[in-house]
Amino acid sequence: MSTDAFFGTLTRIRNVILPPAARSWLNTPRGLLVGYIAVHLGFLIFAALLSSRGEAFSDTFIYREWALAGFNEANLSGGPSPWVYPILALIPMAVAGLAGPGPFFFLWVLMTSLLNGWGLLKLTDRGRNQGAIPAGWWWLVFTLLLGWLGFARVDGLTAPIVLVALAYGVQRPFIASVLLSIGTWMKVWPAAIMLALFAVVKNRLLVVLAGVVTSAAVVALAAVLGTVPRLLNFLTQQGDRGMQLEATFTTPWLWLAVLNVGDSRMYMNTDINSMQVDGPGTAVMSFLMQPLLILAALLVAGLTFWALHNGKINGSSQPDGGVDRTELLLAGALTLATAFVVFNKVGSPQFMVWLAPAVAVGLAHSWREWRVPAAMLIAIAVATFFIYPLFYDALSHNNPLMAGVLTIRNVLLVVLFLWSVRRLYSLGKKTSVSVPALKES
């Protein structure tokens, strides 16, 4: 079945389920607003119920403990250090802890919900960009399917920040770079998106300047708080960790553990609260993953830079001709983000959040060009939800069915990476008509 035939079938199924009046209403700013409220209200109600019992969920238990301890390791009874995260990640934890341990989880979900709302506002130009509303719905569906992975981890706070940065993109590179720098000082992965931005924009000095100014502000904040010696701890805190259970390159050892072959086994690394896999060759593979990740990132950045200078578009709206820089930024961002997931010895399920911003903005930019990765990412979100939180206990106890689900998810990630690389290459080689960039708010 061809791509057009596949998506044509999906469209016909949608048209049978939804009458024309409903489709028209959903494709309005008001319809999207109702969808946003419905999705996030559900998470907020659940968070309020848990918070009323003094509970939290997933990593927010750890965040809450850090906040109550004043982010001082001496006040902790064990477990991971708060300095496994960059310093700006500790700010939302501190904010959520201002009212004490009780409402911590609710306030955390509320902050994530507000940032998601900001992302939707920027993505759709406050509802004025009618063509971007379907992209907003895709973002909401992905958020709903991924579940608590987007609401109980720092990654869920950084994703809408990256989405807004990509929406500013090549039109406002300084603002985009400031936002990406802030995101990087919360969780490292937005640095991949900044690398794509640097490769694509005309005035790269603005990107560098924004990064330097933001980082200087972060250092000044650390100096005021007396935490400068710990500022870069996040770069070394997890350097000796092994191959995490869900990581793409762990898949062969996952099956060796499931089949009880070669003394491979799953175990919990309590120091960093991570399920890992040990077996013949895992130590070597763990050592190789860091240089592999760096090499993959550099190669993708180089391919993006090559596509910028080699690509030609007939009738291009760009003043200097050549490839559509917005499309190239988005393609480079998705490829780099996917590389950061595929070539990572840490395969935490919340990493799937990293892939959504580029796809959402891509759909707003050109739905037809981005429908394939959008469909793949929906499938990845569904598989990831089954892995965590639904059946993670079964997976960590050698359940072959869940090992199969994880394998399918990891194969999809590799396919998405290869699709992204091919897309970058085609932008540098193929001649096509450009599409208009997102309007600026």
PDB file of all heavy atoms in Angstrom, residues 64-91:
ATOM      1  N   ARG A  64      10.195  15.715  44.769  1.00  0.00           N
ATOM      2  CA  ARG A  64       9.646  16.262  46.011  1.00  0.00           C
ATOM      3  C   ARG A  64      10.615  16.072  47.171  1.00  0.00           C
ATOM      4  O   ARG A  64      10.813  16.979  47.984  1.00  0.00           O
ATOM      5  CB  ARG A  64       8.302  15.589  46.328  1.00  0.00           C
ATOM      6  CG  ARG A  64       7.601  16.158  47.544  1.00  0.00           C
ATOM      7  CD  ARG A  64       6.234  15.557  47.734  1.00  0.00           C
ATOM      8  NE  ARG A  64       6.296  14.138  48.073  1.00  0.00           N
ATOM      9  CZ  ARG A  64       5.214  13.392  48.331  1.00  0.00           C
ATOM     10  NH1 ARG A  64       4.007  13.937  48.282  1.00  0.00           N
ATOM     11  NH2 ARG A  64       5.337  12.121  48.628  1.00  0.00           N
ATOM     12  N   GLU A  65      11.251  14.904  47.224  1.00  0.00           N
ATOM     13  CA  GLU A  65      12.228  14.645  48.284  1.00  0.00           C
ATOM     14  C   GLU A  65      13.404  15.606  48.179  1.00  0.00           C
ATOM     15  O   GLU A  65      13.890  16.123  49.187  1.00  0.00           O
ATOM     16  CB  GLU A  65      12.710  13.193  48.192  1.00  0.00           C
ATOM     17  CG  GLU A  65      13.663  12.790  49.307  1.00  0.00           C
ATOM     18  CD  GLU A  65      14.114  11.351  49.195  1.00  0.00           C
ATOM     19  OE1 GLU A  65      13.597  10.636  48.311  1.00  0.00           O
ATOM     20  OE2 GLU A  65      14.999  10.943  49.975  1.00  0.00           O
ATOM     21  N   TRP A  66      13.858  15.851  46.949  1.00  0.00           N
ATOM     22  CA  TRP A  66      14.965  16.801  46.749  1.00  0.00           C
ATOM     23  C   TRP A  66      14.578  18.194  47.225  1.00  0.00           C
ATOM     24  O   TRP A  66      15.365  18.881  47.889  1.00  0.00           O
ATOM     25  CB  TRP A  66      15.345  16.855  45.280  1.00  0.00           C
ATOM     26  CG  TRP A  66      16.015  15.613  44.767  1.00  0.00           C
ATOM     27  CD1 TRP A  66      16.575  14.612  45.499  1.00  0.00           C
ATOM     28  CD2 TRP A  66      16.194  15.256  43.391  1.00  0.00           C
ATOM     29  NE1 TRP A  66      17.100  13.652  44.674  1.00  0.00           N
ATOM     30  CE2 TRP A  66      16.882  14.013  43.373  1.00  0.00           C
ATOM     31  CE3 TRP A  66      15.843  15.851  42.187  1.00  0.00           C
ATOM     32  CZ2 TRP A  66      17.217  13.376  42.181  1.00  0.00           C
ATOM     33  CZ3 TRP A  66      16.176  15.211  40.993  1.00  0.00           C
ATOM     34  CH2 TRP A  66      16.856  13.994  40.996  1.00  0.00           C
ATOM     35  N   ALA A  67      13.382  18.629  46.837  1.00  0.00           N
ATOM     36  CA  ALA A  67      12.937  19.974  47.212  1.00  0.00           C
ATOM     37  C   ALA A  67      12.835  20.116  48.723  1.00  0.00           C
ATOM     38  O   ALA A  67      13.245  21.135  49.304  1.00  0.00           O
ATOM     39  CB  ALA A  67      11.600  20.285  46.542  1.00  0.00           C
ATOM     40  N   LEU A  68      12.285  19.092  49.392  1.00  0.00           N
ATOM     41  CA  LEU A  68      12.146  19.147  50.850  1.00  0.00           C
ATOM     42  C   LEU A  68      13.506  19.131  51.546  1.00  0.00           C
ATOM     43  O   LEU A  68      13.660  19.681  52.637  1.00  0.00           O
ATOM     44  CB  LEU A  68      11.309  17.960  51.335  1.00  0.00           C
ATOM     45  CG  LEU A  68       9.831  17.967  50.916  1.00  0.00           C
ATOM     46  CD1 LEU A  68       9.135  16.701  51.395  1.00  0.00           C
ATOM     47  CD2 LEU A  68       9.121  19.202  51.447  1.00  0.00           C
ATOM     48  N   ALA A  69      14.503  18.517  50.870  1.00  0.00           N
ATOM     49  CA  ALA A  69      15.854  18.469  51.434  1.00  0.00           C
ATOM     50  C   ALA A  69      16.675  19.698  51.073  1.00  0.00           C
ATOM     51  O   ALA A  69      17.859  19.772  51.421  1.00  0.00           O
ATOM     52  CB  ALA A  69      16.567  17.211  50.956  1.00  0.00           C
ATOM     53  N   GLY A  70      16.052  20.658  50.395  1.00  0.00           N
ATOM     54  CA  GLY A  70      16.776  21.852  49.982  1.00  0.00           C
ATOM     55  C   GLY A  70      17.849  21.561  48.949  1.00  0.00           C
ATOM     56  O   GLY A  70      18.812  22.324  48.820  1.00  0.00           O
ATOM     57  N   PHE A  71      17.685  20.457  48.216  1.00  0.00           N
ATOM     58  CA  PHE A  71      18.646  20.029  47.183  1.00  0.00           C
ATOM     59  C   PHE A  71      20.050  19.814  47.763  1.00  0.00           C
ATOM     60  O   PHE A  71      21.043  19.958  47.064  1.00  0.00           O
ATOM     61  CB  PHE A  71      18.683  21.029  46.025  1.00  0.00           C
ATOM     62  CG  PHE A  71      17.330  21.307  45.434  1.00  0.00           C
ATOM     63  CD1 PHE A  71      16.665  22.497  45.703  1.00  0.00           C
ATOM     64  CD2 PHE A  71      16.704  20.359  44.644  1.00  0.00           C
ATOM     65  CE1 PHE A  71      15.396  22.737  45.175  1.00  0.00           C
ATOM     66  CE2 PHE A  71      15.433  20.592  44.110  1.00  0.00           C
ATOM     67  CZ  PHE A  71      14.776  21.778  44.377  1.00  0.00           C
ATOM     68  N   ASN A  72      20.071  19.474  49.042  1.00  0.00           N
ATOM     69  CA  ASN A  72      21.323  19.201  49.738  1.00  0.00           C
ATOM     70  C   ASN A  72      21.452  17.699  49.938  1.00  0.00           C
ATOM     71  O   ASN A  72      20.645  17.085  50.644  1.00  0.00           O
ATOM     72  CB  ASN A  72      21.349  19.925  51.087  1.00  0.00           C
ATOM     73  CG  ASN A  72      22.699  19.820  51.779  1.00  0.00           C
ATOM     74  OD1 ASN A  72      23.514  18.958  51.466  1.00  0.00           O
ATOM     75  ND2 ASN A  72      22.939  20.717  52.726  1.00  0.00           N
ATOM     76  N   GLU A  73      22.464  17.105  49.337  1.00  0.00           N
ATOM     77  CA  GLU A  73      22.642  15.652  49.408  1.00  0.00           C
ATOM     78  C   GLU A  73      22.821  15.180  50.845  1.00  0.00           C
ATOM     79  O   GLU A  73      22.485  14.030  51.171  1.00  0.00           O
ATOM     80  CB  GLU A  73      23.844  15.233  48.563  1.00  0.00           C
ATOM     81  CG  GLU A  73      23.627  15.459  47.071  1.00  0.00           C
ATOM     82  CD  GLU A  73      24.922  15.431  46.293  1.00  0.00           C
ATOM     83  OE1 GLU A  73      25.742  16.351  46.484  1.00  0.00           O
ATOM     84  OE2 GLU A  73      25.111  14.492  45.492  1.00  0.00           O
ATOM     85  N   ALA A  74      23.343  16.030  51.720  1.00  0.00           N
ATOM     86  CA  ALA A  74      23.544  15.647  53.112  1.00  0.00           C
ATOM     87  C   ALA A  74      22.216  15.396  53.829  1.00  0.00           C
ATOM     88  O   ALA A  74      22.170  14.670  54.828  1.00  0.00           O
ATOM     89  CB  ALA A  74      24.330  16.723  53.848  1.00  0.00           C
ATOM     90  N   ASN A  75      21.133  15.979  53.314  1.00  0.00           N
ATOM     91  CA  ASN A  75      19.819  15.813  53.927  1.00  0.00           C
ATOM     92  C   ASN A  75      19.029  14.657  53.344  1.00  0.00           C
ATOM     93  O   ASN A  75      17.877  14.432  53.727  1.00  0.00           O
ATOM     94  CB  ASN A  75      18.997  17.105  53.781  1.00  0.00           C
ATOM     95  CG  ASN A  75      19.644  18.284  54.479  1.00  0.00           C
ATOM     96  OD1 ASN A  75      20.330  18.115  55.488  1.00  0.00           O
ATOM     97  ND2 ASN A  75      19.437  19.481  53.955  1.00  0.00           N
ATOM     98  N   LEU A  76      19.626  13.930  52.390  1.00  0.00           N
ATOM     99  CA  LEU A  76      18.952  12.810  51.744  1.00  0.00           C
ATOM    100  C   LEU A  76      19.411  11.495  52.357  1.00  0.00           C
ATOM    101  O   LEU A  76      20.552  11.359  52.801  1.00  0.00           O
ATOM    102  CB  LEU A  76      19.240  12.808  50.240  1.00  0.00           C
ATOM    103  CG  LEU A  76      18.727  14.024  49.459  1.00  0.00           C
ATOM    104  CD1 LEU A  76      19.261  14.001  48.029  1.00  0.00           C
ATOM    105  CD2 LEU A  76      17.198  14.047  49.441  1.00  0.00           C
ATOM    106  N   SER A  77      18.521  10.527  52.347  1.00  0.00           N
ATOM    107  CA  SER A  77      18.832   9.225  52.936  1.00  0.00           C
ATOM    108  C   SER A  77      19.413   8.243  51.930  1.00  0.00           C
ATOM    109  O   SER A  77      19.624   7.079  52.241  1.00  0.00           O
ATOM    110  CB  SER A  77      17.564   8.623  53.568  1.00  0.00           C
ATOM    111  OG  SER A  77      16.534   8.511  52.605  1.00  0.00           O
ATOM    112  N   GLY A  78      19.658   8.690  50.718  1.00  0.00           N
ATOM    113  CA  GLY A  78      20.185   7.820  49.674  1.00  0.00           C
ATOM    114  C   GLY A  78      19.512   8.110  48.352  1.00  0.00           C
ATOM    115  O   GLY A  78      18.743   9.066  48.222  1.00  0.00           O
ATOM    116  N   GLY A  79      19.796   7.285  47.350  1.00  0.00           N
ATOM    117  CA  GLY A  79      19.200   7.471  46.037  1.00  0.00           C
ATOM    118  C   GLY A  79      19.979   8.460  45.200  1.00  0.00           C
ATOM    119  O   GLY A  79      21.049   8.932  45.589  1.00  0.00           O
ATOM    120  N   PRO A  80      19.445   8.817  44.042  1.00  0.00           N
ATOM    121  CA  PRO A  80      20.165   9.723  43.151  1.00  0.00           C
ATOM    122  C   PRO A  80      20.295  11.129  43.707  1.00  0.00           C
ATOM    123  O   PRO A  80      19.460  11.591  44.490  1.00  0.00           O
ATOM    124  CB  PRO A  80      19.304   9.714  41.871  1.00  0.00           C
ATOM    125  CG  PRO A  80      17.942   9.321  42.340  1.00  0.00           C
ATOM    126  CD  PRO A  80      18.149   8.391  43.495  1.00  0.00           C
ATOM    127  N   SER A  81      21.345  11.821  43.280  1.00  0.00           N
ATOM    128  CA  SER A  81      21.572  13.208  43.684  1.00  0.00           C
ATOM    129  C   SER A  81      20.734  14.144  42.816  1.00  0.00           C
ATOM    130  O   SER A  81      20.530  13.881  41.630  1.00  0.00           O
ATOM    131  CB  SER A  81      23.060  13.550  43.525  1.00  0.00           C
ATOM    132  OG  SER A  81      23.259  14.948  43.527  1.00  0.00           O
ATOM    133  N   PRO A  82      20.252  15.251  43.385  1.00  0.00           N
ATOM    134  CA  PRO A  82      19.522  16.224  42.555  1.00  0.00           C
ATOM    135  C   PRO A  82      20.392  16.823  41.464  1.00  0.00           C
ATOM    136  O   PRO A  82      19.870  17.348  40.473  1.00  0.00           O
ATOM    137  CB  PRO A  82      19.067  17.279  43.564  1.00  0.00           C
ATOM    138  CG  PRO A  82      19.945  17.105  44.760  1.00  0.00           C
ATOM    139  CD  PRO A  82      20.289  15.659  44.799  1.00  0.00           C
ATOM    140  N   TRP A  83      21.711  16.718  41.625  1.00  0.00           N
ATOM    141  CA  TRP A  83      22.602  17.331  40.649  1.00  0.00           C
ATOM    142  C   TRP A  83      22.870  16.435  39.442  1.00  0.00           C
ATOM    143  O   TRP A  83      23.761  16.710  38.651  1.00  0.00           O
ATOM    144  CB  TRP A  83      23.895  17.762  41.334  1.00  0.00           C
ATOM    145  CG  TRP A  83      23.593  18.769  42.401  1.00  0.00           C
ATOM    146  CD1 TRP A  83      23.467  18.544  43.731  1.00  0.00           C
ATOM    147  CD2 TRP A  83      23.292  20.160  42.201  1.00  0.00           C
ATOM    148  NE1 TRP A  83      23.128  19.703  44.391  1.00  0.00           N
ATOM    149  CE2 TRP A  83      23.013  20.717  43.471  1.00  0.00           C
ATOM    150  CE3 TRP A  83      23.235  20.983  41.067  1.00  0.00           C
ATOM    151  CZ2 TRP A  83      22.687  22.054  43.642  1.00  0.00           C
ATOM    152  CZ3 TRP A  83      22.907  22.317  41.244  1.00  0.00           C
ATOM    153  CH2 TRP A  83      22.637  22.831  42.519  1.00  0.00           C
ATOM    154  N   VAL A  84      22.060  15.366  39.297  1.00  0.00           N
ATOM    155  CA  VAL A  84      22.078  14.632  38.023  1.00  0.00           C
ATOM    156  C   VAL A  84      21.395  15.473  36.948  1.00  0.00           C
ATOM    157  O   VAL A  84      21.524  15.194  35.758  1.00  0.00           O
ATOM    158  CB  VAL A  84      21.379  13.255  38.131  1.00  0.00           C
ATOM    159  CG1 VAL A  84      22.107  12.359  39.101  1.00  0.00           C
ATOM    160  CG2 VAL A  84      19.912  13.404  38.513  1.00  0.00           C
ATOM    161  N   TYR A  85      20.636  16.489  37.381  1.00  0.00           N
ATOM    162  CA  TYR A  85      19.987  17.421  36.467  1.00  0.00           C
ATOM    163  C   TYR A  85      20.758  18.737  36.428  1.00  0.00           C
ATOM    164  O   TYR A  85      21.353  19.151  37.432  1.00  0.00           O
ATOM    165  CB  TYR A  85      18.555  17.726  36.920  1.00  0.00           C
ATOM    166  CG  TYR A  85      17.559  16.626  36.660  1.00  0.00           C
ATOM    167  CD1 TYR A  85      17.088  15.822  37.695  1.00  0.00           C
ATOM    168  CD2 TYR A  85      17.074  16.404  35.377  1.00  0.00           C
ATOM    169  CE1 TYR A  85      16.160  14.817  37.458  1.00  0.00           C
ATOM    170  CE2 TYR A  85      16.147  15.406  35.130  1.00  0.00           C
ATOM    171  CZ  TYR A  85      15.693  14.617  36.169  1.00  0.00           C
ATOM    172  OH  TYR A  85      14.784  13.629  35.927  1.00  0.00           O
ATOM    173  N   PRO A  86      20.717  19.444  35.294  1.00  0.00           N
ATOM    174  CA  PRO A  86      21.249  20.818  35.265  1.00  0.00           C
ATOM    175  C   PRO A  86      20.459  21.712  36.225  1.00  0.00           C
ATOM    176  O   PRO A  86      19.311  21.415  36.580  1.00  0.00           O
ATOM    177  CB  PRO A  86      21.055  21.244  33.804  1.00  0.00           C
ATOM    178  CG  PRO A  86      20.974  19.968  33.031  1.00  0.00           C
ATOM    179  CD  PRO A  86      20.298  18.987  33.958  1.00  0.00           C
ATOM    180  N   ILE A  87      21.052  22.816  36.600  1.00  0.00           N
ATOM    181  CA  ILE A  87      20.542  23.629  37.710  1.00  0.00           C
ATOM    182  C   ILE A  87      19.140  24.184  37.470  1.00  0.00           C
ATOM    183  O   ILE A  87      18.337  24.279  38.406  1.00  0.00           O
ATOM    184  CB  ILE A  87      21.537  24.772  38.023  1.00  0.00           C
ATOM    185  CG1 ILE A  87      21.100  25.508  39.302  1.00  0.00           C
ATOM    186  CG2 ILE A  87      21.690  25.725  36.844  1.00  0.00           C
ATOM    187  CD1 ILE A  87      22.129  26.508  39.784  1.00  0.00           C
ATOM    188  N   LEU A  88      18.793  24.551  36.236  1.00  0.00           N
ATOM    189  CA  LEU A  88      17.480  25.154  36.014  1.00  0.00           C
ATOM    190  C   LEU A  88      16.346  24.155  36.203  1.00  0.00           C
ATOM    191  O   LEU A  88      15.195  24.566  36.395  1.00  0.00           O
ATOM    192  CB  LEU A  88      17.408  25.785  34.617  1.00  0.00           C
ATOM    193  CG  LEU A  88      18.267  27.026  34.381  1.00  0.00           C
ATOM    194  CD1 LEU A  88      17.922  27.679  33.042  1.00  0.00           C
ATOM    195  CD2 LEU A  88      18.125  28.045  35.505  1.00  0.00           C
ATOM    196  N   ALA A  89      16.646  22.853  36.155  1.00  0.00           N
ATOM    197  CA  ALA A  89      15.606  21.859  36.420  1.00  0.00           C
ATOM    198  C   ALA A  89      15.150  21.909  37.865  1.00  0.00           C
ATOM    199  O   ALA A  89      14.027  21.502  38.194  1.00  0.00           O
ATOM    200  CB  ALA A  89      16.120  20.463  36.080  1.00  0.00           C
ATOM    201  N   LEU A  90      16.016  22.415  38.743  1.00  0.00           N
ATOM    202  CA  LEU A  90      15.677  22.455  40.153  1.00  0.00           C
ATOM    203  C   LEU A  90      14.700  23.587  40.489  1.00  0.00           C
ATOM    204  O   LEU A  90      14.047  23.551  41.530  1.00  0.00           O
ATOM    205  CB  LEU A  90      16.952  22.617  40.989  1.00  0.00           C
ATOM    206  CG  LEU A  90      18.075  21.602  40.712  1.00  0.00           C
ATOM    207  CD1 LEU A  90      19.208  21.799  41.700  1.00  0.00           C
ATOM    208  CD2 LEU A  90      17.560  20.182  40.739  1.00  0.00           C
ATOM    209  N   ILE A  91      14.601  24.576  39.589  1.00  0.00           N
ATOM    210  CA  ILE A  91      13.702  25.706  39.854  1.00  0.00           C
ATOM    211  C   ILE A  91      12.240  25.270  39.881  1.00  0.00           C
ATOM    212  O   ILE A  91      11.520  25.579  40.844  1.00  0.00           O
ATOM    213  CB  ILE A  91      13.938  26.839  38.839  1.00  0.00           C
ATOM    214  CG1 ILE A  91      15.328  27.446  39.069  1.00  0.00           C
ATOM    215  CG2 ILE A  91      12.856  27.903  38.957  1.00  0.00           C
ATOM    216  CD1 ILE A  91      15.679  28.546  38.092  1.00  0.00           C
TER     217      ILE A  91
END
